[in-house]
Amino acid sequence: MRHFFTRFWPVILLLFLTLTLSFLNFESHTWLTGWDNLHPEFNFKLDLLRGFSSVWQEYRGPGLLAGMAHAADLPRVLVLYLLNLLHLITPSFTRYFWAFLMLILGPLGAYFLAQTTIFSKLGPSTRRLLSTTAGLFYLLNLSTIQNFYTPFEGFTSFYAALPWLLLATLNYFRHPNRKNFLILALTSLLSAPAFYVQTLFLVYVLTLLPFIFHHLLTNKFSIRSLKTIFLSLTVLIITQAYWLFPSSYFALTHSQITVAAAQNQVATREMLLRNQEYGDLKNVFLLKGFSFDYVDLADNNSFALMLSPWISHLASPAGYLGYFFLLLTLLGLIYSFFKRLPFHGPLTAVFLLSAFFLINNNPPTQPLYALINRLPLLTQLFRTVFTKWSYSFSLFYSLFFAAGCFWIYNLLLKISHKLAPILLTTGTLILLIVYTAPAFQGNLIYRNVRQPIPQDYFDLFSYMQTQDPNTRIANFPQNTF
């Protein structure tokens, strides 16, 4: 038992924290609904049918070619359908369950990724200790808060999938055997819901590229390394082909529809300006996006800032901890370079690439980013840069934060070898909990998206199922723009 706890205490700690947050942010007799959401639980069979035939969206008006990767959500829907059939979860708990599951898997993935990369050459106990700080930070940071505040399945899935995808890929790079190949294939297949917004697939590929180059360089472009890269990319494409090929066809033949859409014509310029407003160095490295400016209808029928509990909290002395975490992360970035920690090259490359997109049309990246904005399709793909690049940025931010903790740990060892691990773990945990205290007060998920759904809605669903399926519903008044 003691050996088990010694080996798995980080996993136990991360599970305890994520389960605690899940419990504190769940409201019984409510549905997690509103903002962006997918509700297959309203009619799983119909949703699966639409998923399997998603290339042509027959149910949308007179029908149209799908511009999003709707089929990518099939693995998630199949899992949730099975759990509902077995009565393991209720329909109203279905979206809660998925959001909380992603919240649990993400930090665990960051923990194991840290062990495999930046701390892979350390002893087992030190490796576990420092990797725990990476998992803790990936859970308790402002990027995670914003992405779960109004959770959308594609984004929360990418939060969880990104570290596991990288972990499975790097394990296959290191040991290209059949077992790791199958694990990579299964991980890739189960991660497909993360690419419902297919731009995130592009983000993942760009994130993967530095690791590919690193593997080729360290193996001197050997035949074996080239074969490993080829097979890993092949399995990625094959497991995603059922949604990737149709989406690629749309992008190649009908992308102008997206660019010319009235909604995008109206909103794109505003989104780009919002990106720029929160693309200054301070907001980027404090992991703040423009959702801090979002307003919504409050209880007294007046408009208020959605993130008001967080804005108030960050205006208190606790908010200054963000600057401390930033300094520790930058210290970790430098420390990993001078100590030649494993994978510091590709980790730095992805960290800076993510920062480049988040800074967007601001100094010092403005001239280069302006060139990208000349391509209308790329402008649409990265119209809201925070929801695309904050995941990779916060993940690698977490790894360098842990590297900064490594520096502190070495100082603590000079004081006491026995107390150093305890001081580092408890100190990191306390500071992160203080910084993200509203999450433990029920503000990880926005209260306005935890609502009971009136029975009238379900009565309407039942009524519509009695109507001719060949008819369509018209929304009035129709906008003319």
Side-chain angles (χ1 to χ4, degrees):
M1 186 67 182
R2 182 179 179 182
H3 176 72
F4 176 85
F5 183 78
T6 300
R7 186 177 179 183
F8 292 105
W9 70 265
V11 174
I12 296 171
L13 175 61
L14 291 171
L15 283 174
F16 174 77
L17 281 172
T18 49
L19 289 172
T20 299
L21 282 170
S22 301
F23 175 77
L24 294 174
N25 285 272
F26 171 69
E27 287 186 36
S28 60
H29 307 297
T30 67
W31 297 66
L32 185 55
T33 188
W35 212 253
D36 280 345
N37 48 225
L38 299 173
H39 277 295
E41 66 272 20
F42 288 159
N43 192 328
F44 276 112
K45 291 181 180 180
L46 179 60
D47 193 86
L48 285 171
L49 178 63
R50 290 175 174 177
F52 281 112
S53 59
S54 64
V55 176
W56 179 257
Q57 300 280 295
E58 180 68 27
Y59 65 97
R60 293 180 181 269
L64 53 82
L65 186 67
M68 294 186 68
H70 300 276
D73 203 38
L74 281 171
R76 185 185 74 91
V77 176
L78 287 168
V79 169
L80 295 177
Y81 189 24
L82 177 62
L83 293 174
N84 273 266
L85 285 176
L86 296 175
H87 302 290
L88 295 176
I89 58 175
T90 62
S92 62
F93 184 65
T94 298
R95 287 199 74 231
Y96 276 114
F97 171 80
W98 190 261
F100 295 149
L101 180 62
M102 298 303 101
L103 186 70
I104 292 168
L105 292 177
L108 289 175
Y111 165 74
F112 287 113
L113 181 65
Q115 287 205 65
T116 304
T117 55
I118 196 167
F119 302 127
S120 58
K121 292 186 178 180
L122 300 179
S125 59
T126 305
R127 186 166 66 243
R128 285 192 290 266
L129 173 67
L130 296 173
S131 298
T132 302
T133 63
L136 288 173
F137 191 86
Y138 193 53
L139 171 65
L140 301 174
N141 68 78
L142 291 185
S143 172
T144 301
I145 299 302
Q146 291 164 88
N147 288 315
F148 277 86
Y149 202 65
T150 52
F152 176 63
E153 283 71 8
F155 296 147
T156 56
S157 297
F158 190 65
Y159 167 82
L162 180 59
W164 289 103
L165 281 168
L166 290 172
L167 177 65
T169 304
L170 294 178
N171 281 337
Y172 181 65
F173 284 179
R174 183 179 289 115
H175 301 294
N177 52 42
R178 181 178 297 180
K179 175 186 173 183
N180 285 333
F181 181 82
L182 292 175
I183 291 174
L184 175 59
L186 181 62
T187 303
S188 181
L189 183 62
L190 293 177
S191 298
F195 306 127
Y196 186 94
V197 179
Q198 58 267 49
T199 310
L200 293 174
F201 183 76
L202 178 59
V203 171
Y204 172 62
V205 171
L206 293 175
T207 299
L208 190 59
L209 284 178
F211 293 96
I212 291 175
F213 291 136
H214 176 264
H215 181 69
L216 292 173
L217 288 172
T218 54
N219 289 276
K220 299 179 180 179
F221 288 85
S222 66
I223 298 298
R224 185 185 183 188
S225 66
L226 290 168
K227 179 182 176 182
T228 301
I229 298 299
F230 174 77
L231 289 176
S232 62
L233 293 177
T234 300
V235 75
L236 176 64
I237 293 173
I238 289 175
T239 55
Q240 310 300 322
Y242 69 97
W243 68 262
L244 180 60
F245 289 173
S247 293
S248 299
Y249 174 77
F250 177 88
L252 292 172
T253 62
H254 292 74
S255 60
Q256 281 304 116
I257 294 176
T258 302
V259 176
Q263 172 184 313
N264 293 334
Q265 292 288 332
V266 171
T268 296
R269 180 59 181 167
E270 178 186 349
M271 289 297 180
L272 295 177
L273 290 173
R274 285 179 178 269
N275 291 336
Q276 187 173 3
E277 181 183 3
Y278 276 85
D280 61 288
L281 294 178
K282 175 184 173 182
N283 282 313
V284 167
F285 285 96
L286 288 178
L287 300 173
K288 294 174 69 175
F290 60 68
S291 57
F292 273 87
D293 273 350
Y294 279 162
V295 296
D296 194 23
L297 197 62
D299 293 335
N300 57 1
N301 286 327
S302 63
F303 285 96
L305 291 168
M306 283 175 48
L307 283 160
S308 56
W310 287 95
I311 293 171
S312 300
H313 176 71
L314 294 174
S316 72
Y320 290 104
L321 286 172
Y323 295 97
F324 171 72
F325 298 146
L326 169 59
L327 290 175
L328 191 58
T329 301
L330 295 177
L331 175 64
L333 180 66
I334 298 168
Y335 190 71
S336 66
F337 176 78
F338 283 104
K339 287 292 183 179
R340 298 294 179 183
L341 295 180
F343 292 93
H344 71 272
L347 294 177
T348 302
V350 179
F351 182 77
L352 294 178
L353 177 67
S354 304
F356 167 79
F357 279 100
L358 290 170
I359 295 170
N360 65 87
N361 204 23
N362 289 290
T365 65
Q366 186 176 23
L368 183 57
Y369 197 83
L371 292 176
I372 295 176
N373 270 343
R374 293 181 181 179
L375 301 173
L377 181 58
L378 286 179
T379 301
Q380 288 298 325
L381 288 174
F382 298 126
R383 186 176 65 169
T384 53
V385 290
F386 190 84
T387 57
K388 308 304 185 298
W389 287 98
S390 60
Y391 306 96
S392 57
F393 190 58
S394 64
L395 176 59
F396 292 96
Y397 201 116
S398 303
L399 298 181
F400 286 123
F401 171 83
C405 290
F406 188 20
W407 178 79
I408 291 179
Y409 180 63
N410 286 328
L411 294 180
L412 293 174
L413 286 174
K414 296 178 181 179
I415 301 172
S416 171
H417 275 75
K418 186 176 182 179
L419 293 177
I422 299 173
L423 291 174
L424 182 67
T425 304
T426 55
T428 303
L429 182 59
I430 290 171
L431 290 178
L432 285 171
I433 289 177
V434 169
Y435 187 57
T436 58
F440 293 89
Q441 298 164 353
N443 290 301
L444 172 64
I445 296 178
Y446 185 33
R447 296 185 184 277
N448 280 12
V449 298
R450 293 176 279 177
Q451 297 285 343
I453 297 181
Q455 182 59 38
D456 292 348
Y457 281 81
F458 300 102
D459 292 340
L460 177 61
F461 296 163
S462 299
Y463 170 76
M464 295 306 297
Q465 289 176 4
T466 66
Q467 304 304 299
D468 183 356
N470 294 312
T471 57
R472 293 292 182 267
I473 300 171
N475 297 320
F476 290 108
Q478 288 284 312
N479 292 313
T480 58
F481 297 99

